[in-house]
C-alpha cells in the first residue's frame, strides 16, 4: 500500500531535522510540491544552439550529434537538439558524507547537452530526466535513455544528457576527437589546468540550471520544467551519489535523484528524494556500493530486480546499433558477433520496465507527495545471492520472465572484459520447456498472474504491454529455431511479420491492434508452423502469453 507524504519543500541547504522527518512521514494529506527554485548558488551559464547538423547521421564527417538516437522521435511528436553550455565553474572537494567544500572558482568551461523533448508543450508532463552521461568506455553513453526511452516518450517526459566529465570530452575517443569541427571548442578542464573532474559537479548543476531556469536561450524551447530528476547508471550513479550527498545541499537545483546500478550509503539528514534501482549483478558484487543497504525512509527507496544484470540485453542491443555506427565496434555480446563470455551474455529480465516505473513514481513523489512502494531485497546468504534449484536468484522484484522462465537469467557471468557486468541468459531447450509447461493455458496464466502481481505491487507501470521486450522475445525465439532448422521458415516468416506489427501497434499505444496482430500470430503458431513439435509448442506458448499480457492491460 502506498503512503501519502508531504511533498518536499526545498530551502537553502535543504537539511532537515529528525523531528521534521517524523512529521513528514506522519502526514497523510498530499499537497502540491514546491519545485526546487532557481539556485542563487549556481550561476546561469551561457547557452547557444540548437547546434545544426552539417552531415547526415552516419556520415564519416561526424557533423551530427554523437549517438544521435535512431528511435522515431518525429513520429512520436518529439525532437532531438544539441546545445553548448559555457560558463565559469567551481571546483569542489566531495566526500559523499558531508557538504562539499570549495577548492577554487572561476574555471572556464564549455560543454554540451543533448535534449530530447516533446515538440508541443501540451504533450509535456512537466518532468525533465537529466542524465549524467556514463563515460566508462571513454565516451559519452546515455544508458538510462537506452533503457527507458520508449516509456519516456510515450509519457511525455523531456530528457537531457549532460557531458560533465573529462573522459567523455577529452579522451582519445571523446567528443573532441570524434568530431573536431563540431566539438573542438568543448573543454571541461579549464584549458588543461583541472584534470581530475572536480569541475564536473558544478558543470552538471549549471546545465540543470540552464534547463530549469534559462537566462537566455531555452534548451527546452517552449517547455517549462516543473521538476528535474537527475539520473545516472554505474559510474554515473557513483558520481550522482557524491553529488546528492555533498553538492546538492549547496546547489539545490534537482528535485530528486535516481541511482541506477550503484551508489553507496545516503546521508540521513537531507530531504532530496533518492531512488536506487539495482540489478542482481550490482548486489552480488557490491558494485559501487550497491549492496550497502539502508532501510527505506520518507526520502529513500531501494529496489533490487531478481535475475537482472548490470549491462543487459536491451542495453546491448539498443546501444549496440549506434555504437557500431559512430564508434565502429560492437559491445560484447551483441547479436552476430563472437561471444566471448563463458555463458550467453545479457540477462533478458526486462529491468528497464521497472526503471521506467521508477521515473513515474519519482515524478509523483516530488509533485504530489505520493511515496513509492517498498520492495523486498534480493536474498543474500553468506554474501552471495541465494538461488533455487534452477540457479535462479531468490527475493527481489520478480517479473514473469524470472518466475516463469524460458531462459535461465542471472546477474553473474565470467570471461574477459565486461562479462562480469553483463550477466547471462542461458536458453532452455524445447523438450525441457515442454516438460515444465505441458499445458499452454497454465503457462499463459502463470505469465499473466506474475505480471498482474508486479503491476498491483506498483513495480510495473500501466503501459507494461506496450514495452517492446514482450515482442522481441518472441521474435528471438522464432529466429533461433529457424536458424537451427527446427522450424520451417515460410510460416515462421509470416508469424514474425505479425509479431513485428503487434510491436509497432503497441508502441503507438494501440493495444487493440496489437492484440489482433498477436491473435494472427497465435493462429500461425498453432496451425501453420512446421517443424519440431516441441519447438512449435514453445512458440505457441510464447505468442499466447503475449496475447494474455495484452488482454490484461487492455
Amino acid at each position: 500500500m502506498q503512503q501519502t507524504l508531504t511533498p518536499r519543500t526545498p530551502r537553502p541547504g535543504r537539511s532537515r531535522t529528525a523531528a521534521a522527518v517524523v512529521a513528514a512521514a506522519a502526514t497523510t494529506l498530499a499537497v502540491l510540491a514546491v519545485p526546487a527554485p532557481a539556485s542563487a548558488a549556481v550561476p546561469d551559464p551561457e547557452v547557444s544552439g540548437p547546434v545544426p547538423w552539417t552531415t547526415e547521421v552516419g556520415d564519416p564527417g561526424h557533423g551530427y550529434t554523437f549517438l544521435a538516437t535512431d528511435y522515431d522521435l518525429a513520429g512520436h511528436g518529439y525532437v532531438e537538439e544539441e546545445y553548448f553550455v559555457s560558463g565559469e565553474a567551481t571546483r569542489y572537494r566531495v566526500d559523499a558524507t558531508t557538504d562539499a567544500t570549495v577548492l577554487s572558482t572561476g574555471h572556464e568551461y564549455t560543454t554540451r547537452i543533448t535534449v530530447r523533448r516533446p515538440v508541443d508543450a501540451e504533450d509535456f508532463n512537466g518532468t525533465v530526466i537529466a542524465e549524467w552521461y556514463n563515460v566508462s568506455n571513454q565516451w559519452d553513453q546515455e544508458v538510462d535513455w537506452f533503457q527507458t526511452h520508449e516509456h519516456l516518450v510515450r509519457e511525455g517526459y523531456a530528457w537531457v544528457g549532460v557531458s560533465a566529465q573529462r573522459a567523455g570530452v577529452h579522451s582519445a575517443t571523446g567528443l573532441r576527437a570524434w568530431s573536431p569541427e563540431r566539438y573542438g571548442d568543448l573543454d571541461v578542464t579549464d584549458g588543461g589546468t583541472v584534470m581530475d573532474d572536480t569541475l564536473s559537479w558544478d558543470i552538471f548543476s549549471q546545465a540543470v540550471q540552464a534547463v530549469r531556469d534559462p537566462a537566455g536561450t531555452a534548451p527546452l524551447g517552449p517547455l517549462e520544467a516543473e521538476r528535474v530528476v537527475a539520473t545516472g547508471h554505474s559510474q554515473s550513479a557513483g558520481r550522482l551519489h557524491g553529488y546528492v550527498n555533498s553538492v546538492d545541499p549547496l546547489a539545490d537545483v534537482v528535485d530528486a535523484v535516481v541511482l541506477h546500478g550503484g551508489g553507496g550509503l545516503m546521508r540521513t539528514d537531507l530531504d532530496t528524494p533518492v531512488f536506487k534501482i539495482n540489478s542482481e549483478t550490482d548486489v552480488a558484487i557490491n558494485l559501487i556500493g550497491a549492496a550497502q543497504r539502508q532501510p527505506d525512509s520518507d526520502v529513500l527507496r531501494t529496489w533490487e530486480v531478481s535475475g537482472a544484470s548490470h549491462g543487459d540485453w536491451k542495453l546491448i542491443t539498443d546501444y549496440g546499433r549506434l555504437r557500431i555506427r559512430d564508434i565502429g565496434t560492437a559491445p560484447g555480446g551483441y547479436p552476430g558477433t563472437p561471444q566471448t563470455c563463458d555463458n550467453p551474455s545479457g540477462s533478458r529480465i526486462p529491468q528497464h520496465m521497472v526503471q521506467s516505473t521508477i521515473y513515474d513514481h519519482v515524478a509523483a513523489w516530488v509533485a504530489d507527495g505520493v511515496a513509492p512502494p517498498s520492495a523486498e531485497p534480493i536474498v543474500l546468504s553468506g554474501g552471495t545471492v541465494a538461488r533455487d534449484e534452477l540457479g535462479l536468484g531468490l527475493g527481489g522484484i520478480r517479473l514473469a520472465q524470472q518466475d516463469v522462465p524460458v531462459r535461465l537469467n542471472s546477474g553473474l557471468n565470467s570471461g574477459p572484459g565486461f562479462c562480469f557486468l553483463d550477466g547471462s541468459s542461458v536458453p532452455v531447450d524445447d523438450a525441457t520447456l515442454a516438460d515444465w509447461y505441458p499445458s499452454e493455458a497454465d503457462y499463459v496464466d502463470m505469465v499473466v498472474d506474475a505480471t498482474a502481481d508486479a503491476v498491483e505491487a506498483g513495480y510495473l507501470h500501466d503501459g507494461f504491454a506496450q514495452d517492446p521486450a514482450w515482442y522481441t522475445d518472441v521474435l528471438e525465439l522464432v529466429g533461433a529455431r529457424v536458424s537451427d532448422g527446427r522450424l520451417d521458415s515460410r510460416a515462421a516468416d509470416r508469424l514474425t511479420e505479425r509479431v513485428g506489427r503487434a510491436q509497432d501497434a503497441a508502441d503507438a499505444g494501440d493495444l487493440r491492434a496489437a492484440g489482433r496482430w498477436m491473435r494472427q500470430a497465435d493462429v500461425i503458431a498453432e496451425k501453420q508452423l512446421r517443424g519440431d513439435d516441441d519447438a512449435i509448442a514453445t512458440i505457441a506458448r510464447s505468442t499466447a502469453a503475449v496475447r494474455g499480457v495484452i488482454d490484461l492491460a487492455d
Side-chain angles (χ1 to χ4, degrees):
M1 182 177 181
Q2 290 187 347
Q3 296 172 303
T4 307
L5 306 177
T6 300
R8 180 175 68 85
T9 303
R11 53 188 177 277
R14 290 189 304 188
S15 61
R16 63 187 342 198
T17 65
V21 173
V22 172
T27 302
T28 58
L29 178 64
V31 297
L32 266 185
V34 179
S39 173
V42 178
D44 291 310
E46 179 181 346
V47 178
S48 59
V51 182
W53 288 5
T54 58
T55 69
E56 295 296 321
V57 173
D59 188 282
H62 293 169
Y64 57 92
T65 301
F66 179 66
L67 292 186
T69 186
D70 61 353
Y71 189 62
D72 181 18
L73 291 182
H76 291 80
Y78 267 63
V79 65
E80 175 181 85
E81 295 175 329
E82 191 171 38
Y83 294 84
F84 293 160
V85 178
S86 302
E88 292 187 351
T90 295
R91 290 183 68 211
Y92 285 114
R93 177 184 290 116
V94 170
D95 63 11
T97 59
T98 60
D99 288 0
T101 55
V102 174
L103 297 174
S104 55
T105 61
H107 297 279
E108 295 185 355
Y109 77 91
T110 299
T111 193
R112 64 98 186 219
I113 60 174
T114 305
V115 178
R116 296 165 187 148
R117 62 168 178 86
V119 173
D120 192 332
E122 293 182 356
D123 296 327
F124 180 42
N125 69 7
T127 301
V128 177
I129 305 297
E131 181 165 359
W132 187 306
Y133 276 119
N134 179 284
V135 296
S136 295
N137 283 311
Q138 301 298 295
W139 57 73
D140 282 351
Q141 182 181 347
E142 54 260 52
V143 175
D144 290 339
W145 166 264
F146 289 126
Q147 296 284 31
T148 64
H149 61 275
E150 296 96 344
H151 180 75
L152 297 182
V153 168
R154 282 195 298 268
E155 296 301 317
Y157 290 88
W159 176 90
V160 177
V162 180
S163 295
Q165 289 182 256
R166 181 178 58 85
V169 175
H170 294 272
S171 75
T173 49
L175 293 171
R176 287 163 55 105
W178 186 77
S179 182
E181 181 176 345
R182 184 175 186 83
Y183 296 125
D185 290 336
L186 301 189
D187 180 9
V188 295
T189 67
D190 192 10
T193 62
V194 182
M195 303 297 286
D196 58 2
D197 274 341
T198 49
L199 296 179
S200 64
W201 317 105
D202 196 32
I203 289 173
F204 186 80
S205 293
Q206 291 191 33
V208 171
Q209 179 88 331
V211 167
R212 75 176 311 145
D213 189 43
T217 300
L220 295 185
L223 312 185
E224 293 187 8
E226 297 175 17
R227 63 200 70 89
V228 177
V229 177
T231 190
H233 178 253
S234 191
Q235 181 189 134
S236 295
R239 300 295 295 183
L240 283 175
H241 169 255
Y243 181 88
V244 70
N245 275 333
S246 294
V247 180
D248 184 54
L250 308 179
D252 197 18
V253 292
V254 301
D255 296 292
V257 176
V258 174
L259 303 180
H260 173 204
L265 296 175
M266 306 305 304
R267 286 173 59 176
T268 58
D269 60 335
L270 303 176
D271 68 349
T272 299
V274 174
F275 209 130
K276 296 182 180 182
I277 174 172
N278 288 316
S279 70
E280 185 179 291
T281 310
D282 308 320
V283 175
I285 66 175
N286 192 23
L287 187 69
I288 316 177
Q292 297 176 14
R293 291 165 167 166
Q294 291 171 273
D296 284 354
S297 72
D298 66 330
V299 292
L300 177 65
R301 286 292 182 275
T302 301
W303 286 1
E304 299 171 359
V305 183
S306 181
S309 57
H310 187 77
D312 63 10
W313 186 246
K314 187 178 197 310
L315 175 61
I316 290 171
T317 52
D318 281 24
Y319 158 60
R321 298 188 301 269
L322 305 188
R323 174 169 163 171
I324 292 169
R325 183 194 73 196
D326 288 354
I327 298 295
T329 61
Y334 188 76
T337 64
Q339 302 300 293
T340 59
C341 300
D342 292 338
N343 287 308
S345 61
S347 171
R348 296 333 193 250
I349 300 299
Q351 179 178 248
H352 61 274
M353 293 190 200
V354 178
Q355 184 181 354
S356 297
T357 306
I358 284 174
Y359 292 132
D360 293 348
H361 279 309
V362 170
W365 202 0
V366 172
D368 301 318
V370 179
S374 295
E376 292 297 319
I378 288 172
V379 177
L380 297 177
S381 177
T384 61
V385 175
R387 301 187 180 278
D388 66 13
E389 64 277 6
L390 295 177
L392 302 176
L394 301 177
I397 290 176
R398 309 192 65 80
L399 302 181
Q401 291 82 352
Q402 182 77 337
D403 274 352
V404 196
V406 297
R407 305 177 69 98
L408 300 182
N409 292 287
S410 170
L412 300 181
N413 208 336
S414 55
F418 287 127
C419 287
F420 77 106
L421 294 178
D422 289 344
S424 60
S425 184
V426 178
V428 178
D429 66 83
D430 294 317
T432 300
L433 291 175
D435 185 54
W436 287 356
Y437 310 118
S439 165
E440 179 182 296
D442 288 348
Y443 171 79
V444 171
D445 286 345
M446 286 188 287
V447 171
V448 171
D449 288 348
T451 303
D453 287 346
V455 174
E456 184 177 359
Y459 306 145
L460 289 181
H461 53 75
D462 290 342
F464 59 90
Q466 296 178 255
D467 192 272
W470 299 109
Y471 310 92
T472 57
D473 282 354
V474 176
L475 296 175
E476 186 180 5
L477 287 172
V478 174
R481 283 149 184 80
V482 170
S483 295
D484 64 16
R486 283 177 286 163
L487 290 179
D488 180 76
S489 64
R490 287 168 294 184
D493 287 346
R494 293 196 298 275
L495 187 149
T496 296
E497 186 263 343
R498 266 59 167 197
V499 174
R501 287 179 178 269
Q503 179 182 347
D504 290 342
D507 184 58
D510 190 348
L511 287 182
R512 292 191 176 181
R516 289 195 296 270
W517 288 115
M518 285 309 302
R519 280 192 289 275
Q520 292 186 30
D522 204 18
V523 169
I524 295 172
E526 294 282 0
K527 298 183 177 181
Q528 299 177 23
L529 281 182
R530 298 293 181 268
D532 177 82
D533 287 345
D534 286 340
I536 292 172
T538 294
I539 303 305
R541 279 191 298 270
S542 70
T543 57
V546 174
R547 191 157 52 85
V549 167
I550 293 172
D551 290 344
L552 174 66
D554 196 31

